[in-house]
Amino acid sequence: MSYTLDQRQLDRIEDILKADLVDNGVRCVFLIDMAGNIITHMDNGEKQHDIYSLAALAAGNFGAVSAMAKIIGENEFSLLFHKGKKENIHFNKISSEFLLITIFGNEISLGFLRMKVADSVEQLKGLLEPLVPGTDG
Amino acid sequence: MAFINLKNKVIQVKIVYYGPGRGGKTTNLEYIHRRFHDRIHAEMVTVKTHGDRTLFFDFMPFDLGLIHGYQIKVQLYTVPGQPKYNATRKLVLRGVDGIVFVADAMAVCRESNVQSLRNLQENLAAYRKNLATLPWVLQYNKIDLAEQGIPVLSVDQLEQDLNRGFGRPAFPASALKGINVAATLKKIISLAVTSIREELM
Ligand SMILES: Nc1nc2c(ncn2[C@@H]2O[C@H](COP(=O)(O)OP(=O)(O)O)[C@@H](O)[C@H]2O)c(=O)[nH]1
Ligand SMILES: [Mg+2]
């Protein structure tokens, strides 16, 4: 099973991520699927990360935490946050198949970031949900 | 679940190396990393325990280059083979486009090969996938051990045990010496890409 996104769809997605996140000071944002594929990736040009490895680990990490949720009787943890000294990473589930990941510094508050991420997620849902029938998992 | 980016003309393909613990999955990726360093622009990511065993997965992106105007980015994964890590093994299979089943040709591993293949079928079923329709190949690894007088299973025996009813491409190999490692990889990528192309048409 595969799925495609065309120029118009990807432009729309990138517009949303740019306006909500990159223009608000997020260092790096990427949209991935639960298989670990990268749908789109944007950054403020400061730092180059190994995005393919990050995506693979992020999908694995999110999958592992979801499996833990099931074991303790939670339906899911729809968002995750890892705090570092200078860099923080935030994961937000968009649907059963997609995940939005942001990397940001301490100049942005977690509350503000969450609000902006929630805005993006709301808009992305409508675009992404029709793409993939939720057969995986 | 390959993702095709029509804007940038990139196709991402997920290949998983599966098989019993210590069969040589990680060694396959290590060899590929050495041999194709010009196509791999990252270090191999590995999530492992103190004992150096794969805990979650190994991961390595591999740039195949252009096929029909599309850039093919292959994501190579291995799973942890030990029975107790089934939860993580299942996670890695999510959205898989092609599988290399690495069997351990040592005679003492006969039963664990069969069990691992059965486990693969069970885990695929959870994603409503199966070995009848998914692109996959077999690799009979560690054939070099025969030279040292260590009992190894014959290819006939391995075919009987693992490939009966499937008839998939199978490669006797030595991941340690690099024998048929590239051939195995080439075959699975070609099968996976063909299957994605057929699906799109
Ligand atoms: N003789 C021999 N040893 C191998 C071969 N492939 C792997 N090994 C050894 O088998 C052990 C387990 O290999 P590893 O790749 O970690 O197995 P994995 O658990 O499937 O990832 C290591 O000590 C490897 O050096 C092979 O082709 N021949
Ligand atoms: Mg391993």
Side-chain angles (χ1 to χ4, degrees), chain B:
Chain B
M1 190 174 60
F3 168 54
I4 299 142
N5 183 322
L6 298 172
K7 182 182 173 185
N8 303 338
K9 300 218 174 248
V10 176
I11 303 181
Q12 293 172 61
V13 183
K14 180 172 185 174
I15 305 290
V16 175
Y17 282 70
Y18 206 96
R22 304 200 65 73
K25 300 176 291 296
T26 300
T27 309
N28 263 271
L29 259 61
E30 285 167 349
Y31 177 82
I32 293 165
H33 194 270
R34 280 198 306 275
R35 161 90 191 269
F36 298 103
H37 54 88
D38 53 327
R39 294 177 179 208
I40 298 165
H41 311 294
E43 286 306 302
M44 180 161 135
V45 169
T46 134
V47 189
K48 58 189 175 190
T49 55
H50 289 308
D52 221 28
R53 309 283 303 268
T54 310
L55 170 67
F56 200 154
F57 56 75
D58 305 307
F59 168 79
M60 204 167 73
F62 183 84
D63 278 342
L64 196 63
L66 286 181
I67 295 186
H68 296 284
Y70 278 81
Q71 211 182 321
I72 313 283
K73 291 206 178 276
V74 182
Q75 326 282 18
L76 301 176
Y77 289 78
T78 75
V79 297
Q82 292 163 282
K84 65 178 171 187
Y85 292 135
N86 196 48
T88 51
R89 214 160 27 239
K90 203 166 143 187
L91 282 176
V92 176
L93 279 179
R94 184 162 185 158
V96 66
D97 298 303
I99 294 172
V100 175
F101 184 83
V102 180
D104 192 322
M106 283 198 291
V108 290
C109 294
R110 192 173 168 196
E111 186 52 35
S112 54
N113 290 331
V114 172
Q115 270 175 20
S116 176
L117 189 67
R118 202 177 299 135
N119 170 258
L120 170 60
Q121 288 172 292
E122 286 164 11
N123 284 338
L124 285 173
Y127 296 116
R128 285 173 234 158
K129 286 185 173 160
N130 63 68
L131 290 180
T133 55
L134 200 73
W136 69 288
V137 301
L138 296 107
Q139 184 184 72
Y140 304 139
N141 191 33
K142 305 196 186 177
I143 47 155
D144 59 283
L145 288 175
E147 293 160 16
Q148 298 172 35
I150 294 172
V152 298
L153 299 160
S154 68
V155 169
D156 279 353
Q157 186 68 69
L158 286 155
E159 286 279 297
Q160 270 289 319
D161 285 353
L162 306 169
N163 204 11
R164 203 172 21 146
F166 294 118
R168 293 298 170 135
F171 299 85
S174 168
L176 201 62
K177 301 198 163 169
I179 300 167
N180 267 344
V181 171
T184 308
L185 177 65
K186 221 169 133 182
K187 191 71 188 176
I188 190 57
I189 291 175
S190 138
L191 291 175
V193 170
T194 304
S195 145
I196 292 162
R197 213 164 52 220
E198 278 167 2
E199 209 185 304
L200 286 178
M201 293 196 303

